């Protein structure tokens, strides 16, 4: 019997035994859908995390945060202090530091006329563009004189510009950042969302001195990024920075750091941990669902053999060979589970796109998820059909017709 005939008989059996076919399809539908969603959303999340790491750290840099334990599971201490003098000392005494930029941050209402938007306000120095690699697509960055004079100037992201100005040109306009009126001198290039789902275009950048004195009235900073010169190992520079900051903060041998030094190497280790969860443990759960679906399919097909003894005997009496009957039941199981897998992929395409959109990620169903889902659905179907097919093929036609 040809493969085409086996497939026609399988489709005919699916229409005839609809309820049984639906239950056989259910297991692979759920398993393939879960597997495809996990793989697709996980791949999109991994791409976004790695892209954010590249944007923040670049080829060679490190970020210093105020407070210990930001990346080590502990809370940031309220007494943590990181100052501009600390950064100046790092730039002077740590070999290989070629540029640095401080950062302060606060949420604030930003207003223009009768329009208001809640945005993240960042304080940076005149080195912001060089250190963080984010240019202005309109206007220009503020200079060292603006930082020295705590100037009331601001760079705004695309989301802020769209919310406050619509199609109008924002350059030269005045916006109220909290209680401080600032003149817009530039619009930042688009960034998109970061790995935490934060819209980085919903930001306003002002001089660090303006943020510290006029907006927050503090003498500390939240973080800083330091560029490491080519030829200098980032890990060596991070170790030297840690020793110097501990000395400046008068921390004893048993006291924990009140700051956190992070390099791209450490972040990538964290990403590897996330990858293990996304691409090993969660797919394993989906695989167990597929296995359960295969057991269900085998049980239902065995029951089907018992119900169709007369049909099997009649086919044998009419000249069907054991391999023909065996191929028929294998094809029925494989086609039914494959149909469930196709349905699972269709559902996963919708779910993964919705989930990625809610999480601010790009991409839908991944090619890996499609290939693996189809292969597993077909494989589960063939494995689940072996025992029922062998049992059907071994039924003597004379006994089956009695």
């Amino acid at each position: 019997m040809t493969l085409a005939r086996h497939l026609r008989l399988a489709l005919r059996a699916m229409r005839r035994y609809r309820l049984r076919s639906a239950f056989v399809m259910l297991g692979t539908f759920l398993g393939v859908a879960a597997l495809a969603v996990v793989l697709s959303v996980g791949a999109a999340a991994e791409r976004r995390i790695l892209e954010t790491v590249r944007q923040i750290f670049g080829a060679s840099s490190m970020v210093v945060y105020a407070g210990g334990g930001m990346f080590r599971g502990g809370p940031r201490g309220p007494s943590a202090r990181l100052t501009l003098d600390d950064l100046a000392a790092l730039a002077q005494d740590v070999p290989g530091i070629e540029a640095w930029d401080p950062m302060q941050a606060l949420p604030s209402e930003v207003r223009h006329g009768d329009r208001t938007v809640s945005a993240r306000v960042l304080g940076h120095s005149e080195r912001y563009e060089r250190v963080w690699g984010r240019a202005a697509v309109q206007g220009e960055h503020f200079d060292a004189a603006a930082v020295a004079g705590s100037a009331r100037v601001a760079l705004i992201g695309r989301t802020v510009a769209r919310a406050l100005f619509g199609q109008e040109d924002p350059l030269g306009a005045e916006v109220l950042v909290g209680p401080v009126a600032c003149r817009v001198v530039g619009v930042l290039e688009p960034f998109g969302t970061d790995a935490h789902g934060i819209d980085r275009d919903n930001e306003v950048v002002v001089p660090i001195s303006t943020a510290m004195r006029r907006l927050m009235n503090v003498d500390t900073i939240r973080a800083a990024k330091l560029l490491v010169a080519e030829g200098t190992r980032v890990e060596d520079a991070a170790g030297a920075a840690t020793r110097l900051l501990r000395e400046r903060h008068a921390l004893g041998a048993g006291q924990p750091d009140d700051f956190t030094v992070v390099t791209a190497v450490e972040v990538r280790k964290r990403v590897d941990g996330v990858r293990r969860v996304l691409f090993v443990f969660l797919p394993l759960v989906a695989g167990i669902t597929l296995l359960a679906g295969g057991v269900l399919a085998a049980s239902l097909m065995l029951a089907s053999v018992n119900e169709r003894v007369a049909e099997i005997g009649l086919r044998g009496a009419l000249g069907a060979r054991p391999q023909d009957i065996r191929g028929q039941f294998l094809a029925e199981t494989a086609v039914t589970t494959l149909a469930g897998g196709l349905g699972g992929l269709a559902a996963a395409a919708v779910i993964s796109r919705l989930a990625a959109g809610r999480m601010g990620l790009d991409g839908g169903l991944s090619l890996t998820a499609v290939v693996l889902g189809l292969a597993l659905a077909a494989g589960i179907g063939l494995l689940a059909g072996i025992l029922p097919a062998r049992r059907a093929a071994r039924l003597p036609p004379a006994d089956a017709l009695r």
Side-chain angles (χ1 to χ4, degrees), residues 212-233:
M212 294 171 66
R213 297 171 189 168
R214 299 186 187 276
L215 294 175
M216 303 180 67
N217 192 26
V218 297
D219 58 0
T220 59
I221 61 173
R222 181 175 178 179
K225 180 178 179 181
L226 299 93
L227 296 184
V228 179
E230 186 177 353
T232 303
R233 292 185 72 249

Side-chain angles (χ1 to χ4, degrees), residues 58-336:
S60 56
S61 64
M62 58 183 173
V63 178
V64 182
Y65 293 95
M70 178 171 289
F71 280 78
R72 295 182 175 88
R76 294 176 58 192
S79 60
R81 294 179 61 83
L82 187 64
T83 66
L84 294 174
D85 289 340
D86 287 335
L87 297 184
L90 290 176
Q92 179 178 345
D93 298 334
V94 174
I97 301 299
E98 61 179 15
W100 56 276
D101 178 67
M103 185 185 78
Q104 188 53 274
L106 72 154
S108 179
E109 296 289 328
V110 182
R111 296 189 294 277
H112 173 71
D114 59 352
R115 298 182 179 182
T116 303
V117 63
S118 295
R120 185 168 177 245
V121 179
L122 303 174
H124 285 283
S125 73
E126 71 279 5
R127 296 178 292 276
Y128 171 69
E129 179 179 9
R130 178 189 176 190
V131 174
W132 294 91
R134 193 173 183 186
V137 293
Q138 290 179 252
E140 60 185 7
H141 281 262
F142 45 77
D143 56 16
V147 176
S150 303
R152 303 183 185 209
V153 294
L155 298 157
I156 61 176
R158 282 290 181 86
T159 300
V160 176
R162 189 163 49 247
L164 297 182
F165 297 95
Q167 299 300 319
E168 299 176 18
D169 185 1
L171 293 183
E174 187 175 273
V175 295
L176 201 61
V177 182
V180 179
C182 296
R183 179 172 55 87
V184 177
V185 296
V187 177
L188 295 167
E189 68 177 351
F191 189 104
T193 55
D194 63 13
H196 302 287
I198 299 173
D199 182 6
R200 295 297 308 278
D201 294 319
N202 190 36
E203 291 180 344
V204 175
V205 177
V206 299
I208 184 68
S209 53
T210 304
M212 294 171 66
R213 297 171 189 168
R214 299 186 187 276
L215 294 175
M216 303 180 67
N217 192 26
V218 297
D219 58 0
T220 59
I221 61 173
R222 181 175 178 179
K225 180 178 179 181
L226 299 93
L227 296 184
V228 179
E230 186 177 353
T232 303
R233 292 185 72 249
V234 178
E235 291 77 12
D236 293 341
T242 299
R243 291 189 293 271
L244 179 59
L245 286 176
R246 287 186 62 84
E247 180 182 340
R248 287 182 58 83
H249 294 188
L251 298 175
Q255 292 180 279
D257 296 341
D258 60 357
F259 57 88
T260 305
V261 180
V262 182
T263 66
V265 173
E266 182 175 352
V267 175
R268 288 193 178 96
K269 290 179 181 178
R270 300 278 173 171
V271 173
D272 289 338
V274 174
R275 184 186 288 116
R276 283 194 293 273
V277 174
L278 292 176
F279 299 113
V280 177
F281 298 111
L282 292 181
L284 183 61
V285 174
I288 293 173
T289 305
L290 274 171
L291 182 61
V295 173
L296 175 64
S299 302
L300 290 174
M301 291 304 295
L302 280 172
S304 177
V305 170
N306 294 331
E307 294 173 359
R308 298 162 64 185
V309 168
E311 174 191 336
I312 296 169
L314 181 60
R315 289 200 61 203
L318 293 176
R321 297 168 300 174
Q323 56 264 37
D324 294 331
I325 297 173
R326 184 166 52 245
Q328 175 190 349
F329 279 86
L330 272 176
E332 282 186 26
T333 312
V335 169
T336 307

